[in-house]
């Protein structure tokens, strides 16, 4: 491999697919509780949906790190 040449990694397409699957699973999970959440007061619904809308991002950090480096954690 010549200097400056970048080797293609399978981690990025696999990670992208994992992110899409994560989003799909999260959407189905949240939607399955929509009837219960919908019966709550509007302000409570707002809080729940804001929290759930942010919570799915938490697993992305290690996944994105793995896509970039091949490691799930930062080196010690």
């Amino acid at each position: 491999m010549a200097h400056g040449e970048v080797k293609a990694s399978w981690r990025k397409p696999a990670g992208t697919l994992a992110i899409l699957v994560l989003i799909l699973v999260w959407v189905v999970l949240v939607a399955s509780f929509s009837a219960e959440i919908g019966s709550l007061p509007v302000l409570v619904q707002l809080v729940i949906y804001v929290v759930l809308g942010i919570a799915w991002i938490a697993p992305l950090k290690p996944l994105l790190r793995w896509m970039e480096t091949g490691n799930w954690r930062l080196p010690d």
Side-chain angles (χ1 to χ4, degrees):
M1 186 179 283
H3 179 70
E5 195 174 321
V6 178
K7 182 180 176 189
S9 172
W10 61 272
R11 289 189 312 263
K12 289 190 180 183
T16 302
L17 182 61
I19 290 170
L20 293 174
V21 169
L22 171 72
I23 292 170
L24 178 65
V25 168
W26 191 252
V27 166
V28 169
L29 182 68
V30 171
S32 69
F33 290 102
S34 65
E36 290 85 359
I37 296 170
S39 66
L40 299 170
V42 175
L43 291 178
V44 175
Q45 290 181 45
L46 175 68
V47 171
I48 290 171
Y49 282 124
V50 167
V51 169
L52 292 175
I54 294 171
W56 70 273
I57 298 170
L60 290 184
K61 188 172 184 178
L63 180 58
L64 291 170
R65 184 179 303 120
W66 172 78
M67 287 170 63
E68 253 336 282
T69 66
N71 295 318
W72 288 100
R73 298 183 208 185
L74 290 174
D76 294 330

